[in-house]
Each structure stands twice: as structure tokens, then as C-alpha cells.
């Protein structure tokens, strides 16, 4: 019998990339442990994930009607030949732009391999979930200071105040939460801004509870106070900023009384928040929420957040918000991925990304502008300019259905499950039913995979070499050897694009193996994948904290080289560079008719410890911990509807209804309900009409993705839309066995 082998590696069950330990006995993964500083809920179940009986192990091809669940096995070669043949025809008939890809948040190598393919193939229609996962704040920060500060953390003993504004790291980012708790122990104050009394709020020195989606008014109230009380950082503003006059002119109108009325936050709290920001270093953590408020409301939120960081002098300040700056892979990002290639293709032709006319901040011109500015400061490009290209998801569904502004005929879904993760699930479903060719690649048969013509089985981090590089927007890169050989016919995501590139004569260099492709990316770092994987730290990149206030030598990565408080790149894209607060797109002020019938404000999201968005509900022990989707309802709201704790409730919007289980609790205010997102039931049939219950409990089935609700970059309004609730006619079925 072989000895137990222990492997130390980087986990990619989620994007946190913790060091974990795997035990392998006789070639079988028997144990996995380690994880985030705090105990991780998922890692122990890596063996079940790896050997799960429902994992996809062979490529399959649809033989019945789309979504019917009738499949036949097919070889990789035959599948790729057929897909490539169709793509060649479409390219001939409708141009390379008629091909699109939808992915999720940061997952495996399929993300960058697809970008590389699309850059050289010549289609801008790449969609990643970054679109709804921080894009709005990244765009504004990048336009203002030439980088994001997503990777920044508070520093114990240095940071005086930590502000969590629409983020709940105990559940969503346990390692960072450890850091925050450590900072608190060293004297830092914690402010939490959240309409829900979240777990983080229970540790806060100050909890601020705005009405959902009104954070822009809160932001302006803070700016007003900072300027009125002379609390902003004069040295920084005078020497490094442009646009302060415009800002202070606007801020004057945002009196505390006005902001209190708009947000429901007492004036004294707004004032206290401003004073805490000024008494730095203050770390304003990245929070997802502001990116989900929808048309206008979100823009004002993310703008004021960036503005506050800037005028309090916390940009690239140690203990404040360090700028991420370029990835060590910056050179490869320019040379190997080929963004320039794509831009020159787009500039030579007439077609821009699908929603460029409607949301010009995501267009070839915008991407070029940002790319040039970022490169001037940092020397190399990197992942960020990509955020200035993604089309709106609805524009993909419309291009499929109405061929406007031009047709999309081939769609790839790799590392994504758009039926569950995007508002407007009905529109998405309609489009997936109509596209000429739909190709999917995943670990499991998800609802989105069930709609495909071909489904390809992906290897996970457990059975492929891994280079963790966060889309090139992080300042570190780590390498880990493949822990186990692949099962069945699973292949890594890179294979799909390499093989299609070969068959379709697509430019760029496409090495035979994933490891060799990593070598190419690492070339300019003077190392190889293997060398890095066997080095002491397995990581290259700058330790944040070793570098700060870099703008003093290189300036900011903006067209003027300054911190642009009224960003010229946003103005050039037709946006008001100093956006006023406006109410959420469905609200008393903007939709007075609607609010009569749908009087409650709906917030959706809520990261849950056991799950990663749509993933891992098929892992028994994780599912047992949280079997059904929940809706947080205040007792008063519940009483009005005769709803008791544990009842099944129907949440209704003009688009229809879904059912969730009521949790009656005072963590939300009366009039606000909080719905878990991402729910399907993988134990139910994947085929139509069931699609694993997505019309039953998927909150995104009843949130609108209409253009009028999308925010300035075409991102979706997940938080702050209107709804009503009532006790459901049928309870959620507890008798359905949950994976015994
Ligand atoms: N209502 C509402 N909707 C939201 C949000 C919200 O707060 N509220 N949040 C939004 C945000 S921020 C995000 S990031 C998204 C999350 O959206 P996603 O990132 O799309 O969701 P996941 O469940 O992480 O992954 C989707 C699929 O990718 C597959 N997958 C994972 N890794 C790989 C891989 O390496 N290769 C392949 N081929 N497949 C893989 C998984 O099995 C899963 O089926 O949801 C967004 N949608
Ligand atoms: N376990 C687990 N961890 C995850 C994920 C996961 O799926 N599972 N997903 C990862 C991903 S991709 C992301 S993007 C992050 C997101 O991580 P977080 O930013 O922590 O996201 P959420 O938990 O969705 O929302 C955070 C808080 O925003 C509050 N909120 C809702 N509406 C508003 C509002 O209008 N204003 C304000 N100020 N707050 C509001 C909610 O009440 C919630 O407590 O988590 C990551 N971590
Ligand atoms: S699942 Fe995520 S948090 Fe848990 S060990 Fe893996 S990377 Fe870390
Ligand atoms: Mo996200």
C-alpha cells in the first residue's frame, strides 16, 4: 500500500485561494483541510466535490429539442470539429463579432484563455461577472485615480477607522474579516453601513442603516460635511487633484437635513462618519452593494465612495486604500492576451461591443482611453481596461433575438450560470432557446448547461496546474502543481480555446498544454510555472504595504496624471463626471405608480457561508446546513401579510413571483425585505420545464434587467427594486429528499 501523500496547495473552490492541505491515499483524495484564517466551510468537502456522482465526465451533444435533456456522448474531437465548423460559417456570414461568451466571476483558466481567443478572433462580446461584481466602482476609481483599490486591506496599528460600506466579510471574506478583527483589537474603529443588521454590524462601533439604494445621498452628505467643516486633506487636494471646484459647488446643496430625509440616516451619524473619514488613515473597504443600486443611484454611490477616499487623502495611503497597480503579469497581459490586437481590430472595423451606443463608457474608445492612461503611469497595461468593454447582458440576449445592433449566433457559457446569476432570467432563457449554437463547459449539469447544444466537462483546480492571477487585476500571482490526474474525459478550460484556435487559424501563440501556456504568461517575470510552483512562497508580486504613495513619482494613471475628481474619461463617455444623487430606479420618486402595488423594497444577494453563489448545493453536508432559500422580513411587515416565521412566502414583482421561506427578524427595517439569491435545486430534474426549479426560487427571475433600470455601465439593479409579499399557496416542498 502506498503511503498517504500530503500536498500543500492553493484552493480554488472559491476565489480566496487559501493555502490548504490535501491528503491522497492510493491515488484517491481522502481529506482536505486548512483554509481561510477563520475556519472555511467548503474545503473539507473537496473530496465530495471531486468525486460527486453528478459531475460531468464526458462531452455530450443534444439529440432532442433544446432543453429536453436528451443527450448522446460524443468525443472531444468531434464536438470541437463541429463547433469550429459552425463558427467558421458564422464568421463568414455575420463577422467575428457574432460570437459571444458569458462567464462568471473569477474562476479557472477559461477566463483569460477565452479573452485571448476573442482578442485574436476579433469579437468584443465577452461578458464576465465582473460586470456586476464591482465594475461600477472599478470604472469610477480607475477613471479617477488610474487603478482600483480592491486588494487593499486595513493595517493593524495604523488604520484608525475601517468602513464597511455594503459588505459583510464575516460571511463573504473570512480572511479579511480576521484582519479587520485584529485591527479592532489594535484600536481601530469599525463603521458598518448596511440596511441590514449584518454579522459585521454586530461588531461595529457605529452601524448606519440607510434605506437600500440611497447610499449616494449618504455619500454626498459626507462630502458636504468634509468640505463645510474643512476636514478634507488640503495638501492632497491642492497638489494632486483636479475638479475640486466642481465638487464643492455640488456638495453645497447636500445639506445634512436633505441627506437625512433621503436616506433615513440621522444627520448626526452622517456628520460622525465624515469626521471619522477625516481622522485617518481610514480604510474604506470595497463593497459590492453600491454596484447593484441600478440606474443613477448606483453611479452616485460608487462615485461618492471614490471621492471620499480621494479628498480625505486615503488614496494609496498606508493603512488607507492602497492602489492595486499592475499585476506582475502586466507585460503578458499586453503581449499575450492581446488587448491591443482586439482594439486595432475594432478600430479597423465598424462594430463596437453590443451596448457601446447605449453605454459608451464600455466601448472601444473608452477602453483605449483608459488603457493609454493606465499604461502611461504604470508602464504596462493589465486587467482593468477590460472592465471598460463588457457589453450589458441584456444586449446579448437582444442581439440573439432581434439581431440588433447586429446578430449574435454562437454563444459560449463557460464558468457561468446566467439563468441564475443575472437579473432578467426570463429574457436570458428566451435567448438561450433561440441562439444558433450554444456551447457550455462546467463541472455540473446546471440549468444553463441544460439549454446547451454541447456540454463539455471541465477539470477543477484539483486536477489541473493552477496559476492564480485574478484576471490580472491583483498584485500577486501564485503557482501550484496539479494535485491529481483528471477523472474521465474532463479537460481543462484552456483546451477548449486552444483547440478552437488551432482549428480556426486564430492568431496568438497557443502552446500545447496549460502549463506551457502559463510559462508564456510568466515569461516576462523571468520564471517558469514549474520554478514558481516549487519556490518557497509559490508567489510573485509586491507585498502590499511595501509600496504606497506611488503617485508622487509616477503620477496617477489618468489622462492628466492627476487624481481627477471630475474624471475626464467619464465625461468623454458622455457621463456627468460629478453625478448627483438620484433615487433608486424603482422608488416613490421615480415610479410613484408602481410603489402603490409593490410597496416593499427588495434587496438580494447575501453571501452564505456554505455556498459560492450558485455552487455547492449538491454537496450533502453543505446543503443540510442551509436547505432552502430565505427571505428576511421585519415582524411588522410579516404581520401585515399574516406571515409567520418559517412560512413559505411568495415574493412578487411585475415580472412574476418566486417562493422563499420567511425568516421573521428585526435585522431589516419594516418595508424592506432581504432575499437570498442564486437558488436552484440541483436534486430536481435539469431539463425543461423544471430547470432545477429556477422559476420557483431564483430571485433573478423576478428582477428586471430592462435598460431603464441598468446603471451607467449597463450593470444590473439587484438591490433596491420594489416588490410585495404574501403567504404562498403552496409551501416549499420539504418532502423532496435533499441528496440522501
Ligand atoms: N440577485 C443577485 N444576483 C447576483 C448577485 C447578487 O448579489 N444578487 N451578485 C452577482 C455577483 S457579484 C456575482 S460574482 C455573480 C456570481 O456568478 P458566477 O460566478 O457565474 O456564479 P458561480 O456559481 O460562482 O459560478 C457559475 C458556474 O461556473 C462553474 N464553474 C466554476 N469554476 C469553473 C471552472 O473553473 N471552469 C468551468 N468551466 N466552470 C466553472 C460553476 O460550476 C457554476 O455552475 O452573481 C451576480 N448575481
Ligand atoms: N461564502 C461566500 N463568500 C463569497 C461569495 C459567495 O457566494 N459565498 N461571493 C463572493 C463574491 S463574487 C462577492 S462579489 C463578494 C460580495 O461580498 P459582500 O460585499 O460582502 O456581499 P453581500 O453579502 O451580497 O452584501 C453585503 C452587504 O450589503 C448589504 N446591502 C444590501 N443592500 C444595500 C444597500 O443598498 N446599501 C448598503 N450600504 N448595503 C446594502 C447587505 O445587507 C449585505 O450585508 O463575496 C464573495 N464571497
Ligand atoms: S473554499 Fe475558499 S475560503 Fe475555503 S479554503 Fe478554499 S479558497 Fe479558502
Ligand atoms: Mo461577485
Amino acid at each position: 500500500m502506498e503511503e498517504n501523500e500530503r500536498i500543500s496547495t492553493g484552493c480554488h473552490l472559491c476565489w480566496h485561494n487559501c493555502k490548504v492541505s490535501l491528503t491522497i491515499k492510493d491515488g484517491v483524495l481522502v481529506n482536505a483541510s486548512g483554509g481561510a484564517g477563520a475556519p472555511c466551510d467548503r474545503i473539507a468537502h473537496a473530496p465530495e466535490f471531486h468525486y460527486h456522482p453528478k459531475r460531468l465526465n464526458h462531452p455530450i451533444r443534444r439529440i432532442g429539442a433544446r432543453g429536453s435533456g436528451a443527450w448522446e456522448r460524443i468525443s472531444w474531437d468531434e464536438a470541437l470539429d463541429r463547433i469550429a465548423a459552425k463558427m467558421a460559417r458564422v464568421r463568414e456570414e455575420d463577422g467575428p463579432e457574432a460570437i459571444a461568451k458569458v462567464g462568471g466571476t473569477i474562476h479557472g483558466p477559461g477566463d483569460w484563455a477565452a479573452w485571448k481567443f476573442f482578442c485574436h478572433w476579433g469579437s468584443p462580446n465577452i461578458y464576465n461577472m465582473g460586470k456586476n461584481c464591482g465594475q461600477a466602482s472599478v470604472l469610477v476609481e480607475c477613471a479617477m485615480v488610474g487603478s482600483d483599490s480592491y486588494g487593499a486591506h486595513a493595517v493593524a496599528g495604523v488604520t484608525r477607522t475601517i468602513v464597511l460600506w455594503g459588505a459583510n466579510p464575516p460571511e463573504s471574506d473570512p480572511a479579511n474579516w480576521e484582519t479587520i478583527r485584529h485591527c479592532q483589537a489594535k484600536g481601530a474603529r469599525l463603521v458598518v453601513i448596511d440596511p441590514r443588521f449584518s454579522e459585521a454590524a454586530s461588531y461595529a462601533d457605529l452601524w448606519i442603516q440607510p434605506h437600500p439604494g440611497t447610499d449616494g445621498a449618504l455619500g454626498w452628505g459626507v462630502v458636504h460635511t468634509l468640505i463645510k467643516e474643512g476636514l478634507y486633506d488640503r495638501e492632497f487636494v491642492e497638489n494632486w487633484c483636479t475638479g475640486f471646484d466642481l465638487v464643492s459647488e455640488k456638495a453645497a446643496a447636500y445639506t445634512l437635513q436633505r441627506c437625512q430625509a433621503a436616506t433615513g440616516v440621522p444627520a448626526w451619524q452622517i456628520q460622525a462618519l465624515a469626521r471619522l473619514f477625516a481622522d485617518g488613515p481610514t480604510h474604506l473597504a470595497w463593497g459590492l452593494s453600491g454596484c447593484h443600486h441600478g440606474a443613477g443611484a448606483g453611479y452616485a454611490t460608487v462615485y461618492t465612495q471614490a471621492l471620499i477616499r480621494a479628498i480625505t487623502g486615503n488614496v494609496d495611503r498606508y493603512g488607507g486604500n492602497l492602489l492595486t497597480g499592475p499585476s506582475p503579469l502586466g507585460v503578458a497581459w499586453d503581449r499575450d492576451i492581446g488587448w491591443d490586437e482586439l482594439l486595432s481590430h475594432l478600430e479597423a472595423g465598424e462594430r463596437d461591443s453590443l451596448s457601446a451606443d447605449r453605454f459608451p463608457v464600455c466601448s472601444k474608445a473608452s477602453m483605449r482611453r483608459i488603457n493609454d492612461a493606465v499604461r502611461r503611469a504604470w508602464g504596462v497595461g493589465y486587467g482593468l481596461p477590460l472592465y471598460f468593454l463588457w457589453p450589458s447582458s441584456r444586449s446579448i440576449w437582444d442581439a440573439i433575438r432581434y439581431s440588433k445592433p447586429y446578430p449574435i449566433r454562437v454563444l459560449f457559457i463557460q464558468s457561468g450560470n446566467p439563468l441564475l446569476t443575472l437579473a432578467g432570467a426570463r429574457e436570458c432563457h428566451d435567448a438561450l432557446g433561440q441562439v444558433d449554437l450554444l456551447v457550455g463547459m462546467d463541472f455540473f449539469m446546471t440549468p444553463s448547461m441544460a439549454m446547451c447544444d454541447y456540454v463539455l466537462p471541465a477539470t477543477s483546480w484539483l486536477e489541473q496546474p493552477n496559476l492564480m492571477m485574478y484576471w490580472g487585476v491583483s498584485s500577486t500571482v501564485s503557482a501550484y502543481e496539479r494535485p491529481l490526474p483528471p477523472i474521465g474525459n474532463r479537460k481543462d478550460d484552456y483546451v477548449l480555446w486552444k483547440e478552437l484556435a488551432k482549428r480556426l487559424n486564430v492568431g496568438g501563440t497557443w502552446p500545447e498544454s496549460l502549463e506551457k501556456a502559463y510559462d508564456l504568461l510568466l515569461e516576462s517575470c523571468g520564471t517558469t510555472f514549474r520554478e514558481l510552483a516549487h519556490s518557497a512562497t509559490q508567489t510573485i508580486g509586491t507585498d502590499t504595504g511595501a509600496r504606497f504613495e506611488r503617485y508622487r513619482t509616477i503620477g496617477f494613471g489618468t489622462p492628466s496624471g492627476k487624481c481627477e475628481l471630475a474624471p475626464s474619461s467619464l465625461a468623454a463617455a458622455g457621463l456627468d463626471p460629478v453625478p448627483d444623487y438620484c433615487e433608486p430606479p424603482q422608488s416613490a420618486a421615480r415610479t410613484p405608480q408602481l410603489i402603490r402595488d409593490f410597496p416593499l423594497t427588495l434587496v438580494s444577494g447575501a453571501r452564505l457561508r456554505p455556498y459560492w453563489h450558485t455552487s455547492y448545493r449538491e454537496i450533502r453536508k453543505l446543503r443540510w446546513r442551509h436547505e432552502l432559500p430565505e427571505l428576511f422580513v421585519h415582524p411588522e411587515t410579516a404581520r401585515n401579510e399574516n406571515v409567520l416565521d418559517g412560512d413559505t412566502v411568495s415574493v412578487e414583482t411585475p415580472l412574476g413571483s418566486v417562493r422563499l421561506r420567511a425568516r421573521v427578524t428585526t435585522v431589516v427595517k419594516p418595508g424592506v425585505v432581504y432575499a437570498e439569491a442564486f437558488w436552484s435545486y440541483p436534486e430536481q430534474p435539469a431539463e425543461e420545464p423544471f430547470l432545477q426549479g429556477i422559476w420557483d426560487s431564483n430571485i433573478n427571475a423576478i428582477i428586471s434587467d430592462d435598460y431603464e433600470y441598468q446603471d451607467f455601465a449597463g450593470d444590473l439593479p439587484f438591490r433596491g427594486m420594489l416588490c410585495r409579499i404574501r403567504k404562498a399557496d403552496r409551501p416549499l416542498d420539504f418532502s423532496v429528499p435533499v441528496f440522501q
Side-chain angles (χ1 to χ4, degrees):
M1 202 183 82
E2 283 175 36
E3 291 273 300
N4 281 1
E5 190 191 350
R6 282 175 84 83
I7 297 178
S8 162
T9 186
C11 172
H12 211 341
L13 280 175
C14 82
W15 72 16
H16 290 307
N17 182 22
C18 309
K19 290 263 180 185
V20 293
S21 167
L22 306 177
T23 309
I24 295 167
K25 189 177 178 196
D26 299 336
V28 175
L29 176 66
V30 291
N31 192 49
S33 60
C40 162
D41 295 71
R42 294 172 289 272
I43 181 64
H45 308 290
E48 187 174 340
F49 165 74
H50 186 57
Y51 299 111
H52 200 287
K54 290 212 164 195
R55 278 289 291 268
L56 297 167
N57 290 327
H58 301 280
I60 48 179
R61 178 166 81 102
R62 170 172 77 83
I63 48 171
R66 191 167 280 175
S68 66
W71 306 98
E72 70 175 10
R73 236 190 235 186
I74 183 174
S75 71
W76 270 94
D77 271 337
E78 198 185 344
L80 290 162
D81 286 346
R82 284 165 179 262
I83 295 164
K86 177 77 184 181
M87 289 171 78
R89 249 196 333 276
V90 168
R91 178 166 56 184
E92 197 112 303
E93 291 164 8
D94 285 297
E97 302 89 345
I99 292 176
K101 181 202 165 176
V102 172
T105 185
I106 296 169
H107 286 302
D111 298 344
W112 59 265
W115 301 339
K116 178 168 166 171
F117 181 93
F118 274 67
C119 284
H120 291 92
W121 166 269
S123 171
N125 297 313
I126 317 163
Y127 187 94
N128 279 95
M129 200 46 87
K131 186 85 193 169
N132 302 299
C133 181
Q135 182 193 35
S137 52
V138 164
L139 293 193
V140 168
E141 266 200 277
C142 197
M144 196 179 279
V145 294
S147 170
D148 73 311
S149 59
Y150 176 68
H153 291 293
V155 183
V158 179
T159 303
R160 291 174 58 81
T161 304
I162 299 163
V163 181
L164 294 174
W165 193 334
N168 184 34
E171 221 141 355
S172 62
D173 192 350
N176 188 27
W177 180 241
E178 285 264 299
T179 306
I180 291 170
R181 296 289 294 142
H182 183 52
C183 292
Q184 278 190 287
K186 296 277 176 196
R189 296 156 299 204
L190 177 65
V191 182
V192 172
I193 305 171
D194 199 313
R196 174 179 71 134
F197 187 68
S198 64
E199 193 174 332
S202 69
Y203 291 86
D205 299 287
L206 175 62
W207 169 48
I208 294 177
Q209 188 182 29
H211 190 69
T214 64
D215 303 60
L218 177 63
W220 272 117
V222 169
V223 175
H224 175 93
T225 310
L226 288 169
I227 295 176
K228 189 166 167 210
E229 297 189 2
L231 296 173
Y232 63 93
D233 184 332
R234 272 175 206 280
E235 191 274 332
F236 183 75
V237 167
E238 274 160 26
N239 294 315
W240 292 102
C241 298
T242 61
F244 187 68
D245 291 348
L246 268 175
V247 165
S248 49
E249 211 173 283
K250 255 202 187 155
Y254 289 92
T255 60
L256 291 183
Q257 291 73 5
R258 181 179 168 195
C259 297
Q260 171 174 318
T263 56
V265 175
W268 72 263
Q269 289 189 355
I270 305 177
Q271 202 167 29
L273 178 61
R275 290 174 184 166
L276 285 170
F277 265 118
D279 181 24
T282 301
H283 173 71
L284 168 52
W286 176 79
L288 174 62
S289 263
C291 307
H292 288 176
H293 293 160
Y299 187 25
T301 304
V302 294
Y303 172 76
T304 50
Q305 289 173 337
L307 182 61
I308 292 167
R309 282 191 194 106
I311 65 173
T312 52
N314 282 299
V315 167
D316 221 16
R317 177 179 188 183
Y318 190 53
N321 283 86
L322 293 177
L323 295 180
T324 311
S327 154
L329 297 181
V331 177
W333 229 247
D334 284 349
R335 200 172 54 197
D336 188 35
I337 303 292
W339 295 118
D340 279 334
E341 198 73 27
L342 178 61
L343 279 174
S344 36
H345 171 88
L346 296 178
E347 283 157 359
E350 283 170 12
R351 285 166 161 188
D352 209 327
S353 115
L354 285 170
S355 54
D357 280 350
R358 212 182 276 267
F359 303 109
V361 72
C362 290
S363 64
K364 60 189 176 192
S366 195
M367 187 179 181
R368 166 69 75 199
R369 203 176 297 117
I370 292 295
N371 220 16
D372 289 351
V374 160
R375 243 180 242 176
R376 206 169 29 247
W378 299 112
V380 289
Y382 60 116
L384 274 182
L386 166 70
Y387 283 66
F388 288 77
L389 191 65
W390 289 320
S392 99
S393 49
R394 178 62 177 270
S395 72
I396 302 177
W397 318 144
D398 285 353
I400 289 172
R401 295 181 297 178
Y402 315 121
S403 297
K404 293 228 163 75
Y406 52 84
I408 291 293
R409 295 185 49 201
V410 178
L411 180 66
F412 290 85
I413 302 176
Q414 185 186 37
S415 314
N417 191 351
L419 282 172
L420 273 177
T421 56
L422 296 173
R426 293 261 174 210
E427 311 286 339
C428 171
H429 178 251
D430 195 35
L432 298 189
Q434 291 184 34
V435 67
D436 280 9
L437 175 66
L438 185 56
V439 180
M441 186 156 179
D442 205 300
F443 305 137
F444 290 99
M445 179 55 69
T446 66
S448 301
M449 291 301 109
M451 298 297 293
C452 288
D453 301 313
Y454 296 87
V455 179
L456 306 170
T459 50
S460 78
W461 60 284
L462 287 161
E463 45 197 338
Q464 70 196 15
N466 298 293
L467 193 68
M468 310 296 203
M469 55 187 165
Y470 298 93
W471 293 356
V473 297
S474 136
S475 52
T476 59
V477 175
S478 315
Y480 306 100
E481 290 278 17
R482 185 183 81 173
L484 291 156
I487 290 180
N489 251 322
R490 301 177 193 169
K491 289 195 191 292
D492 66 67
D493 289 297
Y494 170 74
V495 166
L496 171 63
W497 303 106
K498 174 203 60 164
E499 288 298 324
L500 289 176
K502 249 187 359 205
R503 282 170 172 75
L504 290 157
N505 281 323
V506 174
T509 315
W510 295 92
E512 250 331 289
S513 68
L514 180 55
E515 188 176 322
K516 292 267 177 296
Y518 290 148
D519 283 346
L520 204 60
L521 285 170
L522 286 164
E523 214 171 61
S524 59
C525 305
T527 183
T528 64
F529 174 79
R530 181 146 296 181
E531 274 167 16
L532 185 57
H534 291 274
S535 68
T537 59
Q538 297 171 298
T539 298
I540 38 172
T542 349
D543 172 24
T544 45
R547 44 168 189 65
F548 50 90
E549 295 183 17
R550 285 162 293 175
Y551 58 84
R552 293 188 188 278
T553 44
I554 58 172
F556 287 101
T558 58
S560 64
K562 293 281 178 119
C563 165
E564 298 186 1
L565 302 178
S568 60
S569 304
L570 300 180
L575 292 163
D576 180 347
V578 185
D580 268 303
Y581 166 67
C582 79
E583 289 78 10
Q586 290 185 344
S587 53
R590 288 174 71 182
T591 53
Q593 297 287 352
L594 196 67
I595 203 166
R596 261 179 248 150
D597 291 332
F598 298 94
L600 306 178
T601 303
L602 172 66
V603 172
S604 77
R607 270 58 193 164
L608 296 171
R609 279 195 172 82
Y611 303 130
W612 192 250
H613 315 114
T614 70
S615 300
Y616 309 132
R617 280 170 183 74
E618 52 283 278
I619 309 278
R620 283 166 309 166
K621 285 186 182 156
L622 292 178
R623 185 64 182 284
W624 288 341
R625 291 191 33 205
H626 196 106
E627 282 190 333
L628 292 170
E630 293 191 342
L631 180 82
F632 294 15
V633 191
H634 188 274
E636 233 173 74
T637 316
R639 202 176 319 122
N640 290 343
E641 299 301 329
N642 219 3
V643 165
L644 297 177
D645 192 56
D647 279 351
T648 302
V649 285
S650 178
V651 186
E652 302 175 349
T653 72
L655 294 188
S657 66
V658 292
R659 294 180 306 152
L660 297 93
R661 184 166 59 183
R663 170 118 68 98
V664 178
T665 160
T666 52
V667 300
V668 288
K669 281 200 281 203
V672 174
V673 292
Y674 192 99
E676 288 174 6
F678 312 118
W679 273 93
S680 68
Y681 304 102
E683 64 275 21
Q684 291 184 10
E687 67 271 14
E688 296 266 30
F690 312 101
L691 297 175
Q692 297 176 342
I694 55 163
W695 308 125
D696 208 3
S697 295
N698 166 22
I699 200 72
N700 284 332
I702 60 162
I703 298 179
S704 173
D705 69 343
D706 283 355
Y707 291 111
E708 63 186 296
Y709 300 128
Q710 295 178 26
D711 204 2
F712 70 108
D715 39 334
L716 295 167
F718 295 116
R719 300 169 195 221
M721 300 284 267
L722 297 176
C723 74
R724 66 183 173 215
I725 61 165
R726 61 181 176 78
K727 199 164 166 163
D729 307 334
R730 286 174 307 130
L732 283 171
D733 192 354
F734 292 88
S735 65
V736 176
V738 174
F739 295 112
Q740 329 213 345

